[in-house]
Amino acid sequence: MSVEMTLSRETLCFERLALAREEQVSVEGEATLPGSMRDAVTVLSVQAQAYLEDARATAGGMTLRGHVSFQALYTQGDLTRIRAMETTCDFEHSIDAPELQPDMRVNASVAVQETEGTAASGRMTLRALLDLQIEAFETTRQALVTDAAGDADALRTRMQRVAFCRTAPLGEEKTLVREEFDLPARLEVGDVLSATGEAAVAELTGGAGRIGISGTVEVRVLHRPQEAGNPLVMTSHELPFELSIDTQIPDGAQIHAQAEAIDVMADSMADDKRRTLRVEAEVRVRLSGCVQEEKELLEDLYSVSGDALIPQKERFDVHAFEESSDVRESIRLPIALAKDAPPIGTVLAAFAQPTITAATPAGKRLDAEGVMAVTLIYLPMDSDIPMAVRSREPFEMTFPMEAADDALTQPIIAISMGEMGMSTRICAEAMGSCLSFGTAGAASAPGQMEAGALREALALVHRALAREAQEFRTN
């Protein structure tokens, strides 16, 4: 006996991940030191920020371009006086990937992992090790089965709801912001040594062809102290920015804006009454739109009478969701000096560069571990010549992820079958499952627990989760 049925198909457009790769790039730059080539030079600290200007796929590969901004603290000639140098170095990196095509969308980010500096013959060489996180997405169209209709007594179907996400760049713009700040006399600061900044988007407005973006740039300025031997002074300042981008927004798209402070400059001037800090920052904003939709597709079907149905299945990788969140946490790290290092008299400055090596989602938190590159500049006891200590310390941190609730578009029930899966009926709530099922009589599936026993076990789990949440808030 044959089974007659009618299949419904729909051609859907979606993105799939074509490439995910991590690359490391070493960038080196040089700068000429002022003064004599014979002067003794000690490099105390090198900090750096990396920026991607362009990342695009080519036939069989990818090209990434950007620049690195270096800030170095050093002594030259007079070893008691800390000097500063800033310089910028461009970089370009190419990778081979036969699966890439020019029309693919590239999502790439760059972070500084390590820095170092050396000086010789009147020149300073600065190096930075960069970590590149690269993804490439292919937009594809595919006819997929959305339903199967036939004899209701013979045909059984199982449907699945699939989320699709398509992201497209909508444009970018730059703006220059300037601001002046009065520095309190109690800070006792001198000249500016260096300045860095981070930009953040606060609000998106408008529509119908134009999007307005506003936000702030947090600028951190390192100052020389007025009195030699006192600690360096770091001040923080906020500069508001506004700009607009002309763009056509796809219907139903969620708009995301990313801001970067790609160049920051600062200087200060003093008179008899006050010291005024002048800050200038160049901000770049990139706009993208994500269109998300859901479709119900046929997952499986079988017949309960007549000929057996053996569907031919094909697996598709689908880019289903895209979301980002900025969170900040603090941590304390003990730094041990070498046995032969002079004891610390006065701490002048400290810098830290984190590198996350692993991140694990755990419910409403993100557990991260990595390495912190720490530079400590200090005056030894009974000495006015600054010294630097560099250390790489492992760390572990926990970040709250409140966005986890919004990421779920519908409740999820997670249960594994059989005796080995019995624990998931008790503990799956900790991983986001919303429901468990207990039996009041005969079990209808392997591994089911009696409702009373399940209630007691869940009560224990709830108390454990409550204690963990309280400890997390306390710490």
Side-chain angles (χ1 to χ4, degrees), residues 102 126 154-155 160 177 194 198 232 295 338 345 428 455:
L126 303 170
L155 186 63
Q160 62 176 332
V177 292
S194 64
E198 292 183 1
L232 307 183
K295 288 289 184 179
R455 185 183 296 110

Side-chain angles (χ1 to χ4, degrees), residues 45 47 73 222 231-232 234 335 347-353 373-378 389:
S45 169
Q47 305 300 309
L73 298 180
L222 186 64
L232 307 183
M234 179 78 76
I335 305 299
V347 174
L348 300 179
F351 304 93
Q353 178 66 57
V374 180
T375 301
L376 182 68
I377 303 175
Y378 71 97
V389 173

Side-chain angles (χ1 to χ4, degrees), residues 10 32 101 133 139 168 286 290 293 308-309 317 346-347 371 387 390 394 443 470:
E10 184 177 347
T32 302
Q101 295 298 325
Q133 299 287 340
T139 300
R286 287 172 170 157
C290 178
E293 59 179 321
L309 295 177
D317 292 326
T346 302
V347 174
V371 177
M387 295 188 60
R390 299 172 183 85
Q470 179 62 37

